[in-house]
Amino acid sequence: MALALLLAVPPAVALGVAAAGRPRLAGLAVGTAGVIFTIPSLALFALLVGPLGLGTAPAVAALALYSVLPVLRNTVVGLQEVPPDAVEAARGMGMTETQALWRVRLPLALPVVVGGVRVAAVTAVGMATVAALVAAGGLGDSIFAGLRAGDETQVLAAIAVIAALALAVDGTLALIERGLRRGR
């Protein structure tokens, strides 16, 4: 999951930055990522097994693809919601567009971007369980082993651990997001 986010977040943010001021590009990028996001997880994992084989590669690729939409969308929205007065003040201080992006627009949009990373991370935790079906291992193995054995306790225990992990990831990123909002 962490590797998938490391692969998805930088290009999603970069594309979001490029698309924020270009409505056509934003529509195309968000629309394409949205189409990918609507593919059922089992189907996407299965599609990626052909070119990538069994194991962690198709799992990481699928989770990365699913992570793009929330990060991309939130980057675009976050940058579009930066107050025009703040950008104008940066220009008035003599900043170039690039300087205004790095010193004003991105810092002001960062809490919204982190909100997208938060959604992507929690989604990835839940979808990672399906990765067991493509031999990627993880907590999904415990769920499927419990289902095969008819062991409800094992299934519930695995679900509880996955839910706790999702809550821990969400809580950690929520604290980061809250800290960034205060720093604005």
Side-chain angles (χ1 to χ4, degrees):
M1 181 204 82
L3 180 57
L5 288 172
L6 285 173
L7 292 172
V9 170
V13 170
L15 183 55
V17 167
R22 298 175 183 94
R24 278 189 179 161
L25 178 59
L28 178 64
V30 171
T32 302
V35 168
I36 293 169
F37 196 81
T38 62
I39 298 171
S41 57
L42 184 57
L44 186 57
F45 281 105
L47 284 171
L48 293 171
V49 166
L52 300 176
L54 290 172
T56 57
V60 169
L63 294 176
L65 287 170
Y66 280 127
S67 297
V68 169
L69 178 64
V71 177
L72 173 62
R73 181 180 288 151
N74 277 36
T75 301
V76 170
V77 169
L79 288 169
Q80 288 174 342
E81 289 183 353
V82 169
D85 295 346
V87 177
E88 189 60 36
R91 286 188 190 126
M93 293 174 59
M95 289 187 196
T96 65
E97 284 298 317
T98 303
Q99 289 172 325
L101 173 67
W102 285 104
R103 293 182 183 173
V104 177
R105 293 180 68 221
L106 276 175
L108 290 174
L110 196 57
V112 178
V113 175
V114 172
V117 173
R118 184 176 165 193
V119 170
V122 172
T123 301
V125 169
M127 289 197 178
T129 58
V130 179
L133 296 174
V134 294
L139 292 169
D141 279 343
S142 297
I143 291 174
F144 293 117
L147 288 172
R148 280 190 300 274
D151 186 351
E152 191 175 302
T153 303
Q154 182 178 358
V155 172
L156 291 174
I159 290 170
V161 170
I162 292 165
L165 179 60
L167 289 171
V169 167
D170 185 53
T172 300
L173 291 171
L175 288 173
I176 292 169
E177 183 181 352
R178 197 171 306 127
L180 291 169
R181 286 190 190 282
R182 278 194 211 121
R184 283 176 78 169

